[in-house]
Each structure stands twice: as C-alpha cells, then as structure tokens.
Amino acid sequence: MQVPLELTFKNMEQSDAVEAAVRERVDKLGRYFRHIISCRVALEIPNRTRSRTARNYRVSIEISVPGEDLVVSRDPRPYEKYNDLYVTIRDAFNAAERQLQSYSGRLREPRKPREVAPHAVVYRIFPQEGYGFLMTPDGREVYFHANSVASPGFYELNEGDEVRYNETQGDDGPQASVVEALGRDGSHIYPAEIGGM
C-alpha cells in the first residue's frame, strides 16, 4: 500500500487486539491486488445508547485502487441487540476481497483490439445502374451497390476515391456491405501494376 492504513474507532474504545485483527486482514488484501493506494477502516457502534448491554458494530472499508474506490460496509441487522465485532470484521473483509478480485479480473480481461475496416479505392462506378467496384490493395475487385454507401452517398463517389468498407460474401463473390468515403486521392491504395491508372 502506498498510504498507511487509516483506522478509526467511533463511539467505542480503541483496542489493540481489534487493531491487530484489522491490520492482519489489511495485509492479506495485497494477495488479491498488489497496487492498492490506500485503505481506510472505520469501526463503530452506531447510535450508542447509555445502556452498555446493546452493542451493534458497523465496519466500513474503503480501498483506493487506480481509477476507482471500492467501498464495503457491514451494518448490524435490524432489531439485533448484539453482533460480534470480529465476525463483522471478517465478513466485511471477505466482501472487500471479493471486490478486489473482481476489480483485478476486470483489469486482466483481454481487450479486443478495435478492428479497422479495410481501405480500397473506387475502381469503376456505374451511376445509371447504381453499383460499382472497389479495388483492394491486393488487387481484388469488390462489388458494391448504391444502397451500401454511407452519407454523403453513392452519387458523390468518383473513380479514385478512397473508401473504407466491410466485406461480405455475396451470391456472385465478394461484395461491400458498407462503404464509407474517405477522400479523393486513393492512388496509394492501388496495387503497383495498376497504380498508374
């Protein structure tokens, strides 16, 4: 932990035995996540009355980790006159450990790299018929229909325009399901032997 443990006792006397139990559980948190920034633990008897026979303990734990604060609280049950402080500490830290495990697991989840749609160039376009062909960098022709062109639309495309597209397999071969215009100069997309076109 980067910041030392903050332990507070509210409406109750400080106890070395209780503090030792809390410190032992805090030390174990590092097993679940090594980069804990800070940990604050509050032990209290809420709404303490003059009667010392009713003792209900509340344990609150706040753990700061990069980008998030994990908070756990174990409160006395309604109408409960007595709960064991050590059991309440155990239950609160068990819940905190589960939260740390969940947080650590989320950090380890493999993030899929965002796929970038392939680029191509409008190779041939037939405005009257409402379709055209893209030329991919590897020299393949991919059919596209006017309905598959995103705004500003099919009739704004010209031969040589660079586009991004999604390819699917049609009845007669590869076709572009979505075509998005990127700009005018797509000559760098053409294969070398067609580049002069």
Side-chain angles (χ1 to χ4, degrees):
M1 244 183 337
Q2 298 173 10
V3 177
L5 168 67
E6 290 180 35
L7 176 59
T8 57
F9 292 84
K10 296 178 185 175
N11 295 330
M12 60 186 287
E13 292 181 20
Q14 186 171 349
S15 161
D16 291 339
V18 171
E19 185 173 340
V22 169
R23 287 188 182 282
E24 182 181 336
R25 291 303 300 258
V26 168
D27 290 342
K28 291 181 180 178
L29 293 176
R31 296 178 185 173
Y32 303 98
F33 186 72
R34 293 184 317 169
H35 306 290
I36 295 173
I37 298 168
S38 66
C39 180
R40 288 172 289 288
V41 179
L43 308 172
E44 68 176 303
I45 300 175
N47 303 325
R48 185 171 183 180
T49 62
R50 292 179 190 243
S51 167
R52 294 187 178 253
T53 58
R55 297 242 174 181
N56 285 311
Y57 297 98
R58 174 186 293 154
V59 177
S60 301
I61 304 169
E62 184 178 333
I63 302 168
S64 292
V65 292
E68 203 166 328
D69 286 330
L70 308 175
V71 179
V72 172
S73 181
R74 286 296 172 258
D75 296 312
R77 293 181 187 92
Y79 310 110
E80 188 174 39
K81 289 187 179 180
Y82 178 82
N83 67 348
D84 185 87
L85 177 57
Y86 292 98
V87 171
T88 309
I89 290 170
R90 179 200 66 200
D91 293 346
F93 273 95
N94 287 347
E97 289 168 358
R98 287 190 297 272
Q99 281 198 27
L100 275 173
Q101 285 175 318
S102 175
Y103 172 80
S104 179
R106 287 193 313 263
L107 292 179
R108 279 186 262 133
E109 286 178 357
R111 293 190 175 106
K112 284 178 86 174
R114 189 173 161 216
E115 290 186 25
V116 177
H119 287 236
V121 172
V122 176
Y123 180 55
R124 291 184 295 187
I125 193 163
F126 303 97
Q128 304 294 336
E129 291 83 4
Y131 71 92
F133 290 92
L134 304 176
M135 176 65 69
T136 66
D138 61 357
R140 294 180 308 115
E141 287 188 29
V142 178
Y143 168 86
F144 71 97
H145 190 271
N147 294 339
S148 64
V149 179
S151 183
F154 176 78
Y155 296 100
E156 298 299 317
L157 285 179
N158 295 300
E159 290 181 0
D161 285 356
E162 184 176 355
V163 296
R164 187 174 300 155
Y165 70 101
N166 292 335
E167 187 174 326
T168 60
Q169 191 61 35
D171 293 338
D172 297 324
Q175 68 181 46
S177 60
V178 177
V179 177
E180 178 186 2
L182 296 177
R184 290 283 177 219
D185 183 23
S187 60
H188 65 283
I189 297 291
Y190 283 115
E193 63 272 11
I194 304 177
M197 180 170 168

